[in-house]
Amino acid sequence: SPMCLSLPCTDKDEWQLEVPFCGGQMQSPINIDTNSTNFSRELQPVVLAGYNLDPSEQLSLMNNGHTVVLRLPGSLTIASGYPQEYRAMQLHLHWGSPEGPGSEHTVDGRRYDGEIHMVYYNPSCGSIKEAMKQPGGLAVLAAFLQVMPMGQPLGRWGGGSETTVAGFNIEGLLPANLGRYYRYSGSLTTPPCYQTVNWTVFNQTVLLSKEQILLLETTLQGDDDTDLQNNFRLTQPLHGRKVLASFQ
Ligand SMILES: NS(=O)(=O)c1c(F)c(F)c(SCCc2ccc(C(=O)O)cc2)c(F)c1NC1CCCCCCC1
Ligand SMILES: [Zn+2]
């Protein structure tokens, strides 16, 4: 767009022209200004249950043209850290390019190399479709991906359009410390932009090797057969929302 002065120039926010919620007052991602977060002692550490998936469990990994998505079984749940239980749906990633970082959330204006999102729904809202439209119907656990200085690779990341991976310890994809996080109410960061997401953004990052980040940035094809890069939405205004912190 003509107003774009800095790269990457992906002002996806024409979305609100055809997708009304995308122009709402509770949109994600946001910049987290650590000087204006409120410490809340009610925010307990996030505890996952059922995350150690049996290798006999085959998980679908696919490139949907916008990100790489790993479908997760509903047996993986958030057992604490939220007022109600949530069940897993999928996890996916946001990244940049060899020219620059690609996290969705920023902290004090800093953009990280990438961001992992684990998407959950509240089963007491009925089906996933209903949950997606209810406030608090969705929860997303977000962690920043950061290149570690000297890389010994973490976990396994696949590529290609549709494949399956054997079950593995999903908790290994999140930071070790799930007790330090930011919490705020926001939205999906892609159309339909439903404002129904209870966001958790962990303070500790997930360290990947330079090769792993580069693999992510250079191996996936987007919808239009170009490199799938910079698949992050620009940060959105808070419109008075408070960001809570589970730590001081
Ligand atoms: N950050 S996020 O959670 O908002 C998010 C993104 F930013 C995303 F960019 C995506 S991928 C883009 C949306 C999409 C496209 C195709 C398909 C398909 O062919 O199955 C599915 C979805 C993406 F899938 C998600 N997460 C999805 C949001 C879309 C539907 C709600 C349920 C799962 C979470
Ligand atoms: Zn996402």
Side-chain angles (χ1 to χ4, degrees):
S1 68
M3 287 304 293
C4 177
L5 305 174
S6 65
L7 286 179
C9 185
T10 53
D11 174 17
K12 296 171 184 156
D13 280 89
E14 300 99 31
W15 289 338
Q16 55 192 299
L17 305 180
E18 63 262 17
V19 187
F21 283 119
C22 298
Q25 308 265 310
M26 288 180 49
Q27 289 292 292
S28 294
I30 59 168
N31 174 52
I32 295 169
D33 175 353
T34 56
N35 289 323
S36 43
T37 59
N38 286 355
F39 168 61
S40 163
R41 65 189 71 253
E42 277 99 61
L43 295 178
Q44 297 306 310
V46 171
V47 175
L48 301 185
Y51 52 80
N52 212 342
L53 304 182
D54 189 283
S56 64
E57 185 139 24
Q58 292 299 308
L59 305 175
S60 145
L61 181 74
M62 73 177 285
N63 168 357
N64 69 11
H66 305 264
T67 179
V68 56
V69 182
L70 182 69
R71 303 194 72 76
L72 296 171
S75 55
L76 169 56
T77 64
I78 301 177
S80 98
Y82 279 97
Q84 64 273 357
E85 188 198 63
Y86 282 94
R87 283 196 196 137
M89 292 168 66
Q90 51 109 295
L91 69 83
H92 62 272
L93 304 171
H94 299 271
W95 58 88
S97 74
E99 284 70 46
S103 68
E104 293 219 292
H105 290 86
T106 57
V107 181
D108 295 336
R110 175 186 175 176
R111 193 177 298 283
Y112 288 83
D113 295 306
E115 192 167 326
I116 182 170
H117 288 162
M118 281 192 190
V119 186
Y120 295 75
Y121 73 98
N122 182 344
S124 57
C125 293
S127 77
I128 288 180
K129 216 158 171 49
E130 275 106 19
M132 277 166 57
K133 293 175 183 152
Q134 315 267 332
L138 295 177
V140 179
L141 301 182
F144 294 115
L145 307 177
Q146 197 173 14
V147 174
M148 70 176 83
M150 294 308 293
Q152 69 275 355
L154 161 129
R156 287 170 293 262
W157 301 102
S161 60
E162 162 97 47
T163 177
T164 63
V165 292
F168 61 97
N169 179 345
I170 300 291
E171 206 174 41
L173 298 178
L174 289 176
N177 185 338
L178 302 184
R180 291 167 66 87
Y181 57 83
Y182 301 104
R183 169 71 49 78
Y184 79 97
S185 296
S187 73
L188 294 172
T189 65
T190 186
C193 301
Y194 291 146
Q195 300 187 128
T196 57
V197 181
N198 222 332
W199 279 95
T200 293
V201 181
F202 292 109
N203 173 247
Q204 193 178 49
T205 62
V206 173
L207 292 176
L208 296 180
S209 66
K210 182 68 200 141
E211 294 73 28
Q212 283 180 303
I213 290 277
L214 215 52
L215 190 78
L216 203 48
E217 294 168 342
T218 58
T219 43
L220 292 155
Q221 297 296 308
D223 274 342
D224 40 9
D225 266 358
T226 58
D227 274 353
L228 178 48
Q229 296 179 337
N230 299 309
N231 60 349
F232 61 92
R233 186 188 193 186
L234 299 178
T235 52
Q236 304 295 310
L238 270 178
H239 293 297
R241 286 176 284 174
K242 278 317 285 174
V243 179
L244 302 179
S246 68
F247 62 101
Q248 280 182 329

